[in-house]
Amino acid sequence: MDIKTQLHNKAVQALAHAHSPYSKKQVGAAILMDDGKMYSGCNIENASYGGTVCAERVAIWKAISESKSRHIVEVVVVTDAIDPWPPCGMCLQVIAEFADPEQTLVHTANPNLIKKTFRFKDLLPEAFNSKFLKP
Ligand code: THU
């Protein structure tokens, strides 16, 4: 099974764990790091609403806290919406921290298949990142 399909499967499995009693939307994400390891996450909502975390960021928190790698190669986001969802702006900003704008791929999918694939830089072309903080 190819990596993209493995990531999609992991994202679909994660989606089933969504804690989304408020929006009732289920989202799953899976990421591939450049050490070959995969991490997944689901959206986790909170009664305060503002405490909600998207599936993509849950997957990234897991990867960064459990892996030495700091480079995301591929991302798959799965929802059961007819038009699959791209990552929200805040997730794009977090992905930017660990992405190669030219190389990192973002796939949007429904539970059955991947519908669209973007290069990261096409989703967030002028990303604010660490290079702006260099002295
Ligand atoms: N959500 C994600 O998990 N990822 C996104 O990129 C967009 C939004 C979640 C957050 C919330 O639980 C629900 O979808 C509705 O916004």
Side-chain angles (χ1 to χ4, degrees), residues 31-40 58-73 98:
I31 61 177
L32 172 70
M33 306 303 285
D34 73 348
D35 61 2
K37 295 200 180 117
M38 297 182 194
Y39 298 86
S40 62
V58 171
I60 293 168
W61 302 157
K62 286 165 70 177
I64 297 306
S65 57
E66 291 173 17
S67 150
K68 285 205 173 80
S69 168
R70 293 292 181 263
H71 299 290
I72 299 174
V73 178
F98 306 111

Side-chain angles (χ1 to χ4, degrees), residues 20 23 25 27 43 45 52-56 77 85-88 91:
S20 50
S23 77
K25 306 288 186 194
V27 187
N43 54 329
E45 298 185 347
T52 294
V53 186
C54 293
E56 298 90 320
V77 187
W85 293 0
C88 77
C91 288

Side-chain angles (χ1 to χ4, degrees), residues 9-10 20 44 56 79 83 91 103 105-106 112-113 116:
N9 287 347
K10 276 182 97 59
S20 50
I44 305 176
E56 298 90 320
T79 55
D83 285 330
C91 288
Q103 302 293 331
L105 298 178
V106 177
N112 296 321
L113 80 167
K116 288 185 182 170

